[in-house]
Amino acid sequence: MICLTLMESSIEANLEVLENNRPYIDMVELRLDMLIDPLMIPPDTVKLKFGIPAIISFRKKVDGGKYEGNEDQRRLVLYTWSKYGFDFVDLELGTFFPEIEKSVLESGKKIIRSYHNFDMVPDNLEDIIRELSSRPGEIAKVAVYPYTSKDALKLFEVYDKVKDIKDKIILGMGEFGLPSRILYKKLGSMLSFCSSQEKSGAPGHISPLDMKNLYRVDKINSLTAVYGIIGNPVMHSKSPQLHNTAYEKARIDAVYIPFIVDNIDCFLKLAKLLVIDGFSVTVPHKVDIMDYLDEKSPELDTILSCNTVVLKGGLLKGFNTDSAGFLKPLLSLVDVSKINNCAVIGAGGAARAVISALKSIGKDVSIFNRSELRAVKLAAETGSRYYPVTRLDLLDGYDLIVQTTTVGMAPNEAETPVQGYKFRRGQIAYDIIYTPLKTKFLKDAESEGAVIIGGMEMLTTQGKEQFEIFTNRPFPSEEQKENF
Ligand code: ATR
């Protein structure tokens, strides 16, 4: 079930949020601690207006809520509200309100026994979950905050250990916890929470619309194939839209999830736990992932950077679809025979794919990069020249300038790696960033009369090929682009 957390200070405002999201959700959690004066509101009318199953909770500040008053007042509010047919009453571990527990259970409703930890994933998480579920008729709920890939692995390892517990909700907060919210059903949780776009109920909540229509979380089951993208940052990625929409069009039972990753070893353990079938790779893991591959598609031997990994029988096979993705818009938009020499800004994994693509059409390349060491190595490996990115005076000599760094990507839209460079008329400026669609690098180029190419078509082309590698099926249709 998809549960919308209602966080507004009045019932009217909460009802408005509910109505805006009703098509996407199955139930609500009403956060009494957020209401201005919950004892002045008639709970029976509220329950009626909700019209769907509802949880009531009254969170103290230590549990991530707003309430800082005394326990007697909290007990009174919860007691009053719990009398009016709400389906679930959330009581935290350590909260002892026997009269509420008795009346809730006698009326056939349920207690959710919860534990929140905003600081970490505790080592004794399994014990905590067992304690939460030790009383008959109570549903165990934990919300913990993983801050690293190692924490995320710790959280995901617990699902298997407590699979004997039927009634449970185990969720991770923040970006590292996001996959637990999307895969809740596959992982055995009773529900997953989400918040309206305007106000987030907990860090990492996804909007109800995305829960329902993008990730289709309520349709994910034990048979659903799991794919994803690893990166850091990764939440800006449009790949989930591209792949999830394509799965739906092609009627493939699969989901594609963003995984923020700060440690590839931990992610690969997680991938095996979750039985992930494949994943895309983005900044900054495209080169490092190469060391983990058991098998390589031939193009990797020249590109030495990988953006696509298929996992089969515990083995990892790497591919690169960036290179072809980069070339397609270039070949269709400009006459490449007129390009004599190319400048590539950056020396990371994306730059490798771009250089390889340019070399494959016989072009001469110079690398302009911030740090010398990496660029000199790449220049030697690819037969290119290297210059510091500060040598803006040299850029006029290039017909094509390709921007492959993360500089200028949202939210740092005011930045460009070639600050102060005046593009020349007719020069071609190609930025592989697609958020924003037009970076400062491209805007500067356009204002000087240069030809500009943004990163969206490269994303679509490389994603389409990736889809075919992952699923062994043709990409459903060109209309895909309309979904961005
Ligand atoms: P990817 O694998 O996706 O290409 P990466 O390997 O992290 O990502 O490479 C990022 C590129 O962006 C590098 O060339 C990096 O320059 P350094 O080699 O000097 O680190 C470049 N880059 C990142 N931030 C930058 C900044 N603020 N200014 C200039 N270049 C930057």
Side-chain angles (χ1 to χ4, degrees), residues 282-287 305 345-352 368-372 374-375 389 404-407 415 417 432:
T282 189
V283 186
H285 304 307
K286 286 181 178 179
V287 175
S305 143
I345 319 279
R352 280 181 182 273
F368 288 75
N369 197 48
R370 177 179 59 178
S371 65
E372 185 173 345
R374 214 169 171 198
V389 75
T404 73
T405 77
T406 48
V407 183
E415 294 176 9
I432 68 164

Side-chain angles (χ1 to χ4, degrees), residues 179-193:
S180 71
R181 296 176 180 274
I182 295 174
L183 296 174
Y184 80 96
K185 227 173 175 177
K186 195 177 173 90
L187 294 165
S189 283
M190 190 183 101
L191 57 87
S192 188
F193 293 94

Side-chain angles (χ1 to χ4, degrees), residues 115-125 128-129 132 141-147 151-152 154-156 158-159 169-178 180-181 202-203:
Y115 168 83
H116 302 86
N117 192 325
F118 287 81
D119 299 322
M120 64 171 127
V121 179
D123 288 336
N124 61 341
L125 189 57
I128 294 169
I129 298 167
L132 290 168
K141 176 199 163 186
V142 295
V144 291
Y145 210 133
Y147 285 93
D151 290 347
K154 208 197 294 180
L155 168 65
F156 282 98
V158 99
Y159 288 100
I169 304 160
I170 305 172
L171 299 168
M173 292 183 267
E175 286 186 27
F176 283 95
L178 188 123
S180 71
R181 296 176 180 274

Side-chain angles (χ1 to χ4, degrees), residues 277-325:
D277 289 332
F279 55 93
S280 316
V281 186
T282 189
V283 186
H285 304 307
K286 286 181 178 179
V287 175
D288 292 344
I289 194 74
M290 295 283 294
D291 293 338
Y292 296 85
L293 301 176
D294 300 292
E295 213 184 317
K296 291 179 185 139
S297 182
E299 74 277 7
L300 292 198
D301 292 334
T302 43
I303 305 175
L304 299 175
S305 143
C306 164
N307 77 327
T308 310
V309 176
V310 170
L311 261 154
K312 219 181 223 163
L315 297 179
L316 276 71
K317 180 167 182 186
F319 302 78
N320 190 304
T321 67
D322 275 341
S323 209

